[in-house]
């Protein structure tokens, strides 16, 4: 990890985006060659691409033929820059975003993550790469009771969504679930539309919600599997953001204190996860990761089920690092680890 590729015209040493897109489409038509490589390596690095803006990046990402992912219950601000393109994160430059799989706090997660380095800082701002398959094996070997409890209980993820943005780079309730809301809607209509979006997760009793007082927001609770299996191999993957949530909860500073109040995670029976488990999980996550030092125009593609990403702080100005993201669905959803009904995932239904 990663599989590193550079595409070019061997006769001139130059690259053309149209030619690259044609090559991607041709190779993907061969039984999904890049899909297979992602399932094997977890991450692919493309270097030296002639991508210069959000529209170029959108064309490149869509050439793989994946279905764009509809984000339901977004917890970060994602303004659209081009078709299916948004900033990767708008959190302040001094905030560490620890390694995680994308959208582990909701049932409906993307299959593939594309990241494009539009502008890169001279120091810091690296993006980690690590294997969720290796993470599972390490955690099972070193803290087997943690794996047993995750297997038996799953995870309760409680996310608070408020009408106002709770921290810089965070989402609002309307951004998360209000796609059908119009300004003329009264309170009951707004609530009905938001509840309809939450119901699209299709989790039945495993997703519940509670409205806050004074129409301030809503708390949505999911019971989720942390351990999921890779289609085709049935290998178990630790699909999680627990290292991220733990570092947010223990980090100092007003920005981090606001972030940690947004999401609460505990075992599926409501019992707290011991700090000793979370501290060791963070340490293992850091031991197995590789930090990607960005070069301008790099593109990283992650198989989100088996590979984690994140973001290191950087020196300089906030605008010194501009990384864009694009997310897509996989053809198959992750398999269950165990037979519990809450461990079975389904796609969010249309609505």
């Amino acid at each position: 990890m990663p599989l590193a590729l550079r595409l070019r015209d061997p006769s001139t040493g130059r690259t053309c985006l149209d030619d690259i897109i044609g090559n991607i489409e041709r190779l993907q038509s061969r039984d999904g060659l890049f899909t297979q490589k992602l399932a094997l390596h977890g991450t692919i690095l493309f270097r030296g691409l002639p991508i210069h803006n959000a529209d170029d990046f959108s064309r490149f990402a869509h050439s793989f033929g994946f279905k764009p992912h509809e984000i339901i219950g977004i917890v970060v601000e994602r303004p659209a820059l081009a078709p299916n393109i948004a900033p990767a994160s708008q959190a302040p430059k001094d905030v560490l975003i620890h390694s995680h799989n994308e959208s582990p706090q909701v049932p409906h997660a993307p299959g593939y993550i594309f990241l494009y380095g539009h502008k890169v800082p001279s120091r810091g701002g690296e993006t980690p790469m690590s294997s969720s398959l290796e993470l599972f094996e390490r955690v099972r070997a070193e803290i087997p009771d943690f794996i047993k409890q995750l297997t038996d209980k799953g995870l309760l993820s409680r996310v608070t969504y408020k009408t106002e943005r709770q921290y810089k780079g965070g989402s609002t309730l309307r951004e998360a679930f209000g796609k059908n809301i119009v300004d003329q809607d009264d309170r009951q209509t707004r609530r009905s539309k938001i509840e309809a979006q939450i119901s699209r997760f299709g989790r039945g009793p495993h997703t519940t919600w509670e409205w806050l007082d004074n129409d301030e927001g809503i708390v949505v609770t999911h019971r989720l599997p942390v351990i999921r299996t890779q289609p085709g191999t049935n290998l178990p993957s630790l699909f999680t953001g627990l290292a991220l949530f733990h570092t947010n909860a223990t980090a100092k500073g007003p920005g981090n204190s606001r972030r940690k109040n947004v999401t609460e995670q505990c075992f599926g029976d409501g019992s707290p996860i011991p700090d000793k488990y979370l501290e060791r999980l963070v340490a293992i996550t850091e031991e197995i990761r590789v930090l990607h030092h960005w070069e301008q125009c790099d593109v990283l593609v992650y198989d989100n089920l088996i590979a984690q990403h994140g973001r290191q702080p950087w020196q300089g100005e906030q605008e010194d690092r501009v990384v864009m993201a694009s997310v897509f669905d996989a053809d198959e959803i992750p398999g269950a680890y165990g037979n519990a009904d809450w461990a079975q995932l389904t796609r969010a239904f249309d609505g």
Side-chain angles (χ1 to χ4, degrees):
M1 179 184 291
L3 172 65
L5 301 174
R6 183 191 299 271
L7 284 80
R8 65 184 180 184
D9 181 343
S11 64
T12 65
R14 295 192 301 271
T15 55
C16 167
L17 184 57
D18 286 338
D19 291 343
I20 289 172
I21 288 173
N23 279 324
I24 296 290
E25 293 172 342
R26 175 174 55 83
L27 293 170
Q28 271 291 75
S29 70
R30 299 179 182 176
D31 298 320
L33 179 64
F34 287 108
T35 305
Q36 294 181 41
K37 295 297 185 183
L38 283 164
L40 178 63
H41 296 275
T43 309
I44 299 177
L45 164 64
F46 293 89
R47 174 155 285 174
L49 297 177
I51 294 177
H52 304 296
N53 52 51
D55 289 316
D56 287 348
F57 179 40
S58 179
R59 291 180 58 214
F60 175 80
H62 283 84
S63 70
F64 288 72
F66 301 133
K67 178 184 176 182
H69 175 75
E70 180 189 3
I71 303 175
I72 307 172
I74 189 171
V75 297
V76 295
E77 185 181 10
R78 288 274 171 86
L81 303 175
N84 199 30
I85 303 297
S89 173
Q90 299 193 92
K93 64 184 180 67
D94 58 340
V95 172
L96 167 68
I97 302 177
H98 212 288
S99 297
H100 62 285
N101 302 92
E102 184 65 27
S103 301
Q105 74 284 346
V106 295
H108 181 60
Y112 302 105
I113 314 295
F114 287 68
L115 299 176
Y116 154 58
H118 181 66
K119 189 175 182 182
V120 300
S122 57
R123 296 186 64 183
E126 299 91 348
T127 293
M129 299 172 282
S130 58
S131 168
S132 302
L133 304 175
E134 182 181 5
L135 182 61
F136 174 85
E137 294 297 340
R138 284 286 304 273
V139 173
R140 180 167 63 175
E142 298 184 28
I143 37 178
D145 185 60
F146 188 25
I147 293 295
K148 184 179 188 308
Q149 293 200 58
L150 290 174
T151 302
D152 294 342
K153 302 175 183 179
L155 191 78
L156 276 190
S157 173
R158 294 190 182 95
V159 184
T160 299
Y161 301 92
K162 293 190 176 182
T163 53
E164 301 297 329
R165 210 173 301 282
Q166 299 177 74
Y167 59 88
K168 182 175 177 56
S171 69
T172 65
L173 174 58
R174 186 164 179 175
E175 289 168 338
F177 296 114
K179 61 181 293 183
N180 294 326
I181 290 176
V182 296
D183 292 339
Q184 295 77 17
D185 288 340
D186 59 23
R187 185 175 77 166
Q188 188 54 49
T189 301
R190 292 197 307 272
R191 286 192 170 192
S192 295
K193 289 182 176 181
I194 287 169
E195 290 175 354
Q197 289 296 311
I198 297 171
S199 296
R200 292 179 59 203
F201 286 125
R203 298 284 291 168
H206 306 306
T207 291
T208 59
W209 57 88
E210 179 181 0
W211 287 97
L212 300 174
D213 293 337
N214 303 318
D215 205 31
E216 187 179 0
I218 193 171
V219 179
V220 181
T221 302
H222 303 285
R223 189 176 185 184
L224 297 170
V226 178
I227 305 168
R228 309 179 185 187
T229 59
Q230 183 183 31
T233 67
N234 290 323
L235 291 170
S237 172
L238 205 57
F239 187 93
T240 182
L242 282 171
L244 168 62
F245 298 131
H246 184 65
T247 53
N248 281 348
T250 56
K252 306 297 183 183
N256 282 301
S257 65
R258 289 192 292 269
R259 291 172 67 89
K260 71 182 181 183
N261 292 329
V262 173
T263 302
E264 176 190 356
Q265 299 210 330
C266 56
F267 284 127
D269 62 357
S271 59
I273 300 173
D275 284 345
K276 64 179 182 179
Y277 291 166
L278 297 172
E279 289 165 2
R280 188 63 197 136
L281 175 66
V282 170
I284 294 172
T285 301
E286 292 177 349
E287 289 170 12
I288 68 174
R289 69 181 184 172
V290 174
L291 293 180
H292 173 65
H293 298 270
W294 286 95
E295 291 188 10
Q296 194 164 348
C297 302
D298 281 355
V299 172
L300 285 174
V301 187
Y302 289 78
D303 183 324
N304 189 43
L305 175 61
I306 63 168
Q308 295 193 332
H309 65 286
R311 193 200 73 178
Q312 295 294 106
W314 68 92
Q315 298 182 12
E317 303 300 323
Q318 181 75 22
E319 59 269 18
D320 289 344
R321 185 186 190 274
V322 178
V323 174
M324 302 179 192
S326 189
V327 291
F328 295 85
D329 286 334
D331 289 337
E332 298 181 76
I333 60 173
Y337 189 77
N339 298 317
D341 58 348
W342 51 261
Q344 316 293 320
L345 294 173
T346 60
R347 293 197 189 280
F349 61 82
D350 292 336

